[in-house]
Amino acid sequence: MDDQRDTTDRFLPRFDAAGLVTAIVTDADTHVLLMVAHMNEEAIAKTRETGQAHFWSRSRASLWRKGETSGNGLTLVEMRVDCDQDALLLRVRPAGPACHTGRRSCFYRRIEADGSLTFLVDDAQG
C-alpha cells in the first residue's frame, strides 16, 4: 500500500485507461441502488459544479446529464470516493425513475440458478 490515494485528504481519482471511473448511484433517502455508470473528469466537474449528476456514455462517447431528455434528473446530495479512488458513490435525490425503462432502479431482475431472470417488484432489492 504505497499509493498515497489510500491515506490522502485530496481527491485524486484513479481513472482507467479510457479515462473513466465507475460511479455507483444510490437514493440518499431510501439507500436503494439506482444505477451504475461511468464518469470522466468532465462529468465529475459538471456534477460538482451544477449539483446534477453527469456521466460519460461509453456507447455514445459523450457527456450526458441524467434526466436531460426524460426530466428524471439526479440531484447530488453527496459524492464519496473509495479507498483507492477508482470508484465513486453518488448519493442523490431522484426526480423520477432512474432507469431508462421507467423503473425506479436499473436492478429490477434477479438471476436465478438456472440462468433465467425473475422480474422483481420495482422497489424490491433485498
Side-chain angles (χ1 to χ4, degrees):
M1 260 207 301
D2 58 353
D3 194 324
Q4 298 282 327
R5 285 182 177 91
D6 294 336
T7 57
T8 186
D9 64 354
R10 304 287 305 155
F11 182 45
L12 304 167
R14 185 190 313 254
F15 296 103
D16 67 13
L20 303 173
V21 294
T22 300
I24 302 157
V25 183
T26 64
D27 185 306
D29 298 320
T30 66
H31 311 290
V32 168
L33 173 62
L34 299 176
M35 59 184 281
V36 174
H38 301 281
M39 298 176 87
N40 63 5
E41 191 171 358
E42 184 181 10
I44 293 169
K46 282 282 202 187
T47 298
R48 294 175 73 194
E49 171 188 321
T50 66
Q52 292 296 306
H54 287 70
F55 303 101
W56 178 259
S57 170
R58 295 183 300 171
S59 61
R60 295 187 306 264
S62 64
L63 184 73
W64 61 284
R65 180 181 57 80
K66 178 67 177 145
E68 63 191 5
T69 56
S70 67
N72 298 328
L74 301 172
T75 300
L76 184 67
V77 173
E78 178 182 51
M79 185 184 295
R80 296 183 184 185
V81 65
D82 75 336
C83 55
D84 56 359
Q85 299 202 39
D86 65 356
L88 301 175
L89 170 62
L90 276 63
R91 296 180 61 242
V92 303
R93 290 213 169 85
C99 185
H100 74 281
T101 65
R103 291 176 174 87
R104 179 179 184 195
S105 168
C106 294
F107 295 89
Y108 55 87
R109 296 173 289 184
R110 179 178 55 236
I111 303 169
E112 303 297 346
D114 66 0
S116 65
L117 299 177
T118 297
F119 284 76
L120 304 172
V121 175
D122 194 40
D123 292 327
Q125 289 186 30

